[in-house]
Amino acid sequence: MAAPILLEGLKRLEYRGYDSAGLAVIEKSGVVCQRSVGKIGALESELAGADWQGTSGLAHTRWATHGSPTLENAHPHCDCKKTIFVVHNGIVENHQSLREQLMSRGHRFRSETDSETLAHLIEEHYQGDLEKAVAQSLPLVEGAYGIGVLSSDHPDQIVVARRGSPLILGAGDGEFFAASDASALISHTRKVIDLQEDDIAVIYSDHHEINNLKSQSILRPSRTLAWDVKAAEKQGHDHFMLKEIYEQPEAVCNAMRGRAVGSEGIAKLGGLSGIEDEILKMKRLCIVSCGTSYYAGLLGRYIIEACTDIGVEVDLASEFRYRKLNFTEGTVVLAISQSGETADTFAAIQEARRRGSLALGLVNVVESSIARETDAGIYNHAGPEIAVASTKSFISQLTILYLFTLFLARRQNMSMAEGQSFIRELESIPEKIERILERASEIEQIASHYTGYKNFLFLGRKFNYPVALEGALKLKEISYLHAEAYAAGEMKHGPIALIDSNLPSVCVAPQDSTYEKTLSNIEEIRSRGGPLIGVGTEGDETLRKLCNHMIEVPATQEIFAPLLTVVPLQLLSYYIAKELGCEIDQPRNLAKSVTVE
Ligand code: G6P
């Protein structure tokens, strides 16, 4: 029976977007469809009494773009006759004109969504062959889509297609799946087939066919997912976010495995082989990314510039295209993206390639759109990250940026001894993160003192400035408290006006080359009565005395400190959000993978 499988799949995808959900199953009597507003739990309750026997169906969780999260706007959407049902990820950019044309030909719309146009468009072309109708409709669509289509006239098949939105097939034992994310089908099969741009596939219970838009048959290879269902489950933790925070020592190891060669003090990055010469000619690196990945990029700038003579720029992917960048020879663009599907980052990388730049990717999800669009890249191998707020991916991205730095620096002026010491220090990080994790209950205690505040300031300098930004983002994302991050030196240019007993400051101040200066900023806050949480080096009694609360991290070379200092900030946000009763893994309004620009 399809319904329970679809519901389970939806639950595993709930982290990606979740203001409404729905499913449709082909029964003997025709297609039955149930939708509901809110979390999957609501849909599940509504389906409690249903006795659906059908073995094929579609399901969807929605993150509202066009049209508010109402029942009418929830997917699946259907045609006028309620025979063709569609689920859609992405955006139909020309939906307005399509809608007008279709309405003028008598189609009746029931929702405000762009997605519904697809159901009517397919109905318009349908003459007995569902796949053909889909193939004829899609060239008329501008924008991005990953779609699933079924019809009561074809109970044995489901048609799926993609352009600019992820879609994979899963081959089970006598059953076949399609999903936008591997975690939806991982409990049924690890054998997947990645669909490529403009592929249309028809899946049956025991086989599939893939065609292009011209109905020419295509063969796509299958691969086995490198992780199993356990990676997509909480494994005893209260939340995925906490589980993923605890997976960080392993994430560092996984990112380094087979890449850091301690004896020679070098990094081997297999994903870059073949383009090493071009990389060695690199004079300027432009990093593009969004959200947490953007902060990893900001840190990348500090790290790479500290160890090489390459100039690094970091852009928010959404702003990248608005700059009139001069792509001089030797400019390389690096996209950082956990999901590999972020629309802005994808568009930025497309633009870079159009302008003739070498495009690299630092991506977690294998075979994702960004991974495929780049000329070469490095995978995180961090396993699936389910919580919306990114934690282990950030640590993993940083680890790879350190390796990339080593890769570049050893081809410039870094000596073998320096390279060896670099790797030794990096290899000591997992154990040091473990030591911070052992202090989780202490951090939980500290968090309990701060749940009554509404605003927070995060401060850090140099390598720890991006950490402050990331700390503030974490708090905003999951606790809905307002948090702003500033470079500590910038505090005197404005934020200091806000300091009083109602504004706690979280100061990231390990004993590094900027320590003394940051201490002065801390003194400035203290003298104005601002509550202080310090994140500092183990045994730093000076910092402890200045702050109301202090969280210690083990000592390390200053360049590697962010791998440690960010961990208490993640835990602090987590415990504040937990105490406030927030939906930690699925914060309101956010989605894990933002496939709209
Ligand atoms: C969304 C997520 C963030 C993530 C950002 C970039 O906003 O909620 O956690 O950092 O997208 O995602 P990416 O997959 O490109 O790293």
Side-chain angles (χ1 to χ4, degrees):
M1 277 186 307
I5 296 175
L6 290 165
L7 264 180
E8 186 215 330
L10 282 186
K11 280 191 195 152
R12 292 195 191 278
L13 287 187
E14 202 172 16
Y15 73 101
R16 293 187 62 132
Y18 33 74
D19 48 42
S20 51
L23 58 84
V25 168
I26 310 179
E27 293 287 292
K28 287 213 173 70
S29 54
V31 179
V32 286
C33 179
Q34 179 73 51
R35 301 180 294 175
S36 88
V37 174
K39 305 253 163 176
I40 312 299
L43 180 66
E44 198 173 17
S45 323
E46 295 200 31
L47 282 169
D51 179 28
W52 293 1
Q53 299 294 321
T55 55
S56 21
L58 297 172
H60 188 266
T61 60
R62 175 168 186 257
W63 183 74
T65 55
H66 291 75
S68 44
T70 59
L71 200 59
E72 295 71 36
N73 290 338
H75 297 218
H77 292 289
C78 62
D79 64 343
C80 300
K81 294 193 222 67
K82 296 193 177 177
T83 53
I84 297 172
F85 284 73
V86 175
V87 289
H88 167 230
N89 284 346
I91 286 205
V92 178
E93 282 165 7
N94 58 337
H95 74 103
Q96 204 53 47
S97 65
L98 287 175
R99 178 186 280 254
E100 280 160 21
Q101 288 164 33
L102 287 160
M103 282 173 74
S104 71
R105 289 203 288 272
H107 290 264
R108 292 180 318 279
F109 279 73
R110 302 178 184 92
S111 79
E112 305 158 274
T113 64
D114 55 322
S115 306
E116 192 185 345
T117 50
L118 295 169
H120 295 281
L121 204 56
I122 295 166
E123 175 181 32
E124 183 80 7
H125 288 95
Y126 181 69
Q127 285 179 336
D129 183 334
L130 186 63
E131 188 201 355
K132 204 165 163 192
V134 174
Q136 287 172 346
S137 302
L138 293 180
L140 306 173
V141 173
E142 286 165 24
Y145 53 78
I147 55 166
V149 187
L150 59 71
S151 159
S152 50
D153 291 349
H154 303 273
D156 60 335
Q157 52 174 258
I158 290 176
V159 180
V160 298
R162 66 159 286 175
R163 183 197 293 161
S165 243
L167 199 54
I168 57 170
L169 306 184
D173 189 10
E175 46 188 10
F176 231 91
F177 307 88
S180 57
D181 183 324
S183 47
L185 44 79
I186 187 73
S187 61
H188 302 280
T189 178
R190 287 171 64 195
K191 189 174 166 196
V192 298
I193 298 137
D194 299 290
L195 293 184
Q196 310 281 333
E197 289 297 88
D198 290 330
D199 281 359
I200 300 183
V202 187
I203 58 173
Y204 301 87
S205 62
D206 55 357
H207 72 289
H208 72 287
E209 290 158 7
I210 305 177
N211 292 313
N212 61 19
L213 287 176
K214 292 184 189 129
S215 297
Q216 290 158 328
S217 167
I218 301 172
L219 278 179
R220 299 279 180 219
S222 64
R223 67 183 167 102
T224 305
L225 292 170
W227 45 280
D228 61 17
V229 70
K230 283 200 208 112
E233 286 171 351
K234 285 189 208 147
Q235 301 274 295
H237 289 280
D238 285 349
H239 297 95
F240 278 110
M241 182 176 174
L242 192 62
K243 178 192 173 215
E244 287 157 6
I245 290 173
Y246 274 84
E247 282 173 347
Q248 293 186 112
E250 199 187 327
V252 176
C253 297
N254 288 344
M256 288 177 73
R257 188 162 297 121
R259 291 168 169 164
V261 186
S263 56
E264 295 169 55
I266 57 165
K268 279 194 178 157
L269 299 173
L272 303 185
S273 62
I275 55 149
E276 292 197 13
D277 286 350
E278 277 179 84
I279 292 185
L280 294 183
K281 286 188 214 135
M282 170 167 71
K283 293 202 177 54
R284 181 167 68 142
L285 178 67
C286 299
I287 302 179
V288 288
S289 41
C290 303
T292 291
S293 300
Y294 173 64
Y295 296 142
L298 283 185
L299 200 53
R301 175 168 70 194
Y302 283 94
I303 305 166
I304 295 169
E305 289 187 343
C307 302
T308 73
D309 59 16
I310 296 161
V312 184
E313 294 169 38
V314 193
D315 270 287
L316 288 166
S318 56
E319 288 293 316
F320 180 71
R321 70 183 69 174
Y322 306 130
R323 289 180 62 196
K324 194 166 171 290
L325 252 187
N326 194 355
F327 281 86
T328 45
E329 217 184 310
T331 301
V332 174
V333 176
L334 169 69
I336 305 180
S337 175
Q338 186 286 127
S339 62
E341 300 297 343
T342 303
D344 287 320
T345 312
F346 184 74
I349 216 77
Q350 277 186 317
E351 173 67 11
R353 292 194 68 193
R354 252 196 308 273
R355 307 277 294 275
S357 165
L358 178 71
L360 306 179
L362 167 41
V363 174
N364 190 33
V365 178
V366 175
E367 286 294 324
S368 54
S369 301
I370 295 170
R372 277 207 296 261
E373 186 67 18
T374 43
D375 296 299
I378 312 163
Y379 280 123
N380 290 93
H381 300 309
E385 187 177 67
I386 310 280
V388 164
S390 183
T391 54
K392 69 170 174 175
S393 291
F394 182 69
I395 289 275
S396 171
Q397 288 164 344
L398 295 190
T399 307
I400 288 175
L401 286 166
Y402 287 107
L403 293 175
F404 185 50
T405 302
L406 181 65
F407 176 89
L408 299 169
R410 286 285 280 122
R411 285 161 173 83
Q412 295 191 345
N413 292 329
M414 188 187 270
S415 68
M416 181 159 122
E418 285 167 330
Q420 287 167 332
S421 140
F422 193 98
I423 292 181
R424 262 199 310 278
E425 198 63 32
L426 202 49
E427 280 174 344
S428 75
I429 294 294
E431 186 268 330
K432 289 178 180 170
I433 299 178
E434 295 283 6
R435 273 159 57 193
I436 302 170
L437 297 175
E438 282 163 16
R439 301 203 172 106
S441 55
E442 194 186 306
I443 298 172
E444 183 171 15
Q445 259 290 309
I446 295 175
S448 67
H449 293 274
Y450 291 90
T451 49
Y453 294 93
K454 295 280 173 263
N455 300 289
F456 286 77
L457 189 61
F458 283 70
L459 299 170
R461 273 176 191 264
K462 199 176 175 182
F463 297 114
N464 285 300
Y465 168 44
V467 170
L469 287 162
E470 172 60 8
L473 179 66
K474 286 288 87 75
L475 191 63
K476 275 184 278 213
E477 283 178 314
I478 60 168
S479 71
Y480 317 138
L481 296 174
H482 173 238
E484 268 198 82
Y486 267 87
E490 187 65 12
M491 194 188 67
K492 55 188 172 291
H493 298 293
I496 197 165
L498 300 170
I499 303 285
D500 65 13
S501 60
N502 293 317
L503 182 75
S505 297
V506 182
C507 300
V508 189
Q511 287 168 327
D512 63 9
S513 59
T514 66
Y515 175 65
E516 302 293 340
K517 288 199 170 73
T518 310
L519 276 197
S520 304
N521 302 129
I522 291 174
E523 296 270 16
E524 286 155 16
I525 295 169
R526 192 179 144 86
S527 61
R528 285 163 181 80
L532 279 156
I533 304 174
V535 174
T537 309
E538 268 172 359
D540 182 349
E541 290 310 315
T542 312
L543 184 66
R544 185 173 288 283
K545 280 193 197 108
L546 287 175
C547 295
N548 302 69
H549 293 96
M550 173 167 165
I551 308 170
E552 295 189 345
V553 297
T556 181
Q557 287 173 20
E558 74 167 336
I559 194 171
F560 298 109
L563 288 167
L564 304 180
T565 50
V566 75
V567 180
L569 302 190
Q570 298 166 339
L571 286 168
L572 190 69
S573 303
Y574 173 80
Y575 287 119
I576 289 179
K578 191 174 174 199
E579 181 127 350
L580 291 174
C582 299
E583 289 267 12
I584 292 179
D585 285 336
Q586 297 155 10
R588 70 182 179 210
N589 303 341
L590 297 181
K592 183 70 182 161
S593 176
V594 181
T595 51
V596 293
E597 287 184 22

